Amino acid sequence: MLFPTIQYAIFFTVVLVASWLLTSRPVRWKLAMLAASYVFYAAWDARFVLLLLGATVFNQVMGVAIHGAEDGVRRRRRVRLAVAGNLAILGWFKYYGFFVASLKNLLASVGLDSPFPLLEIVLPVGISFFTFQAISYVVDIGRRRIEPAPPIDFAVYLAFFPQLVAGPIVRAREFLPQLATRDDRRIDVGRAFGLITAGLFKKVVVASYLATTIVDEVFANPAAHSAPEILFATYGYAGQIYADFSGYTDIAIGCALLLGFTFPDNFDRPYTARSITEFWRRWHMTLSRWLRDYLYIPLGGNRQGRVRTYRNLMLTMLLGGLWHGAAWTFVAWGALHGGWLCLERWLAERRAERPTSDPELAPVEPWWLETRRWLVTFHVVCVGWIFFRAESFETATTMLTRLVTGWGAAPLVTPPVVAVIAGIVAVQFLPRDLGAALQERFAGLSPAAQGVALAMALVAIDALGPPGVAPFIYFQF
Amino acid sequence: MPMPSPPRLPDPDTARRPAGPSDRSAPVARALLAMLVALLLGALMNADSLADTAERQPFGWQRTAAVAAVRPLEVVADATRLGGLNAWLTDSVGGWFRQAPGRVTTAGSLDNAGRPAPADAPDEPEQNAQPSHDRDPGIEHPAADGTPRDGHPAADGRQRDEPHAADRTPRDEHPPADGTPRDEHPTADRAPGTDGGRPDLSEHGQPGLHPGLAGWRARRTPTSEEPLEVWLTGDSLVEAIGSPLDTELNEAVPAEVRTDPNYATGLARPDYFDWHAYAEESLADSDPDVVVLMMGGNDDQDIRDADGQVLRHDADEWQAEYERRAVALLDRLVTEERDVFWVGMPMMQDPQLDDRMRRIDRIYQRATEAHPRAHHVPTRDLFAVEGDYASYMEVDGGGVERVRRDDGLHLTFAGGRVLVDRRLAAVITERWAP
């Protein structure tokens, strides 16, 4: 059940009415939300509701066991066991085939056979997201940051449908307190409906348009396309994946708001970034901080010397790349980002070592230098997207090669395509207050006027977008 | 000009909104009321679009219920003219926005995709036609709204107000494109004594060429000035083939491959996309030497015959009607100067779906047997290991690669390469390489 469908609109309306009616009955409210979330998940594949249920039971049992550990050593052991259990589930469903195939190829290169058979395993949608949420729960209990939640609360947290299949990755310590003190009698309607409308527009109109007019065709057969087409298909994919994923999380956050929950932001105009470091503070922010808190810092972060800091950065980004998909192209994407983060860190350290490195005394950067940094950052990100989108290294290298060698006519690069790509980047430079001001005005309208405004928006989205809806890109992760 | 300066960078950890209600907060009942008004008004204003969506569903009780639910909205929308804004936007801004670039071959389908079945079509019996194997969507855009699973539905950006192609083109009643009865194709261009040099496909268990064509040769020799023109079309399955086919063919013969997927289409629903009309109109604009077809993944659903009768997908009548459509499509594609290669369905991960695809594949095979220049290219054996479906397999050049996508249906690019390298390129170049 995808967000931009009539089925979801009906489903969510029913859930919102139930939520409203059950506001004063928290236990029934939780049971209703849990049931709704399982129905939502079962719409993809009912079998995997059992997996979700199993993950819930396992992590709740482990959470209680970790909390009950008498000393730090036992606690850490139990945390490791819980994390290993979660990673085993994720590894089995998502990475088994990838690792066995890679191992087979490696062993075959030295004339050996792999003892592991290749199996047919169906990937459950959203498993990467709910596994990461579960890990945050047991680790935070181990760190004494939270206590085990009542089972029904934890079950609602793990399965809560707005963020179940593609995030944002909400931590237990953000969600559970809101569940305990939930009060949805008053909600920020301007922000909620603003996010939902913007998310629908980004997904249905922008992402679909870019995918169907240039991106899919060029990535399907880059050898048949000229350099300008490949360049704009790459820009187009940058726009598409932003519109697609941020559109999804906008809708998720908006729906959660209507149900009385405040989720963390997941995007903050990432294409305004002037360094890759900054990019990762703006792109998929809930994943960035998850990787930082549950991977980078446990690895030692930047507190164990320069070399280990670089190693930790690279490892974090390589594993972050692999999280996105079981393919070496994703690892390459992570390596590119990790390598560039290391380079930026190295340059920053060199600057800091100079005698006149006091930031107070540093001259203000001229505009052209800032523009250059923005351009470099944007294009590094775009090169990364080539590996992210390409199904194989062959496709990626063909794209990169044709960028240099394939100059020729570019019938796919039309004014509307250029305008949409420029538009999706340009809007990120608009003042943040602009959206807030619109939401403020919307909130001041009567419910009937709000309904009319929203209906108009639905008409525009329907008229501009193609019929039917493609699934969100991040569902596969 | 200075770059616009973004505000202070938030730390991801603190980038969250205040938890409590803000000044803009309102009682949830007001939000609910606004939402209900929006949905009701939006449904009326988008009634035509909702009707399209409902009618694109596979035949069965869900479609029946959806169509029945939408019909009153259409009546009210017509009476109040609330649909006018959507129609105006679609015709003006939407039309411009959806305008496909010149080389996007799916642009042709803008004019060809059919509107949903006419409102006065007889209601279908309630049948459990929705396939039970809809799986997790993958990046290749399986459908989300009940439309066929294999691609972005109407990714072609078709315009809703175009007349139904099927209304313009009597379906399945066209004579063969060359005007020759099917069983009377001339064999004048048969080159004597040209059996030699044909690749031995017997190792794959099935030949790629029509049995009667062992000695046939292409009428012309492609050159770099006039390369072999290949029109690769079908549903989303063809996406994975285009690039390797282009590469592989050009190793043997100068070739230009035009990859033209029409997502979420098939022969089952000409009310949604009329392949017969599309083929005719496409061939009116171009004259490829070779047509490569691959489709079928969306066709395991009930179909409606010319009399409006809904035929269950497991009925004999379904097979007869489907075969009639397949033959009729070949009638439009095949000429005495053009080869058509119909690539069969590979093995599917879901056993039920696999059964249906195998039946469909047999129909394709029978249909090609009716046309001397149409050839069935079997693929079931290519993507099976020890007779079973395989997501991973050893590929040419060594190594194990993933050849099928997570949906258990589509090929990956590595899978497309396997199909091309091990079979498809061979059967084409066997006829066209100098």
Side-chain angles (χ1 to χ4, degrees), chain A residues 233-243 271 283 378 381-382 385 424:
Chain A
T234 306
Y235 291 155
Y237 186 65
Q240 183 201 344
I241 193 168
Y242 168 73
Y271 294 143
W283 178 271
F378 182 69
V381 169
C382 284
W385 289 141
I424 195 75

Side-chain angles (χ1 to χ4, degrees), chain B residues 60-141:
Chain B
W61 69 268
Q62 288 166 309
R63 180 180 183 275
T64 307
V67 169
V70 168
R71 196 138 294 158
L73 293 173
E74 284 188 291
V75 172
V76 176
D78 283 346
T80 55
R81 298 191 175 184
L82 276 170
L85 179 61
N86 190 319
W88 176 79
L89 272 173
T90 304
D91 291 345
S92 50
V93 189
W96 174 82
F97 195 74
R98 292 173 181 190
Q99 189 177 28
R103 210 169 84 192
V104 176
T105 47
T106 46
S109 61
L110 284 173
D111 297 338
N112 298 317
R115 280 178 60 81
D120 58 355
D123 257 3
E124 63 282 2
E126 293 199 350
Q127 292 170 344
N128 185 20
Q130 175 64 37
S132 59
H133 47 261
D134 276 348
R135 282 184 278 299
D136 303 335
I139 198 167
E140 66 283 9
H141 318 304

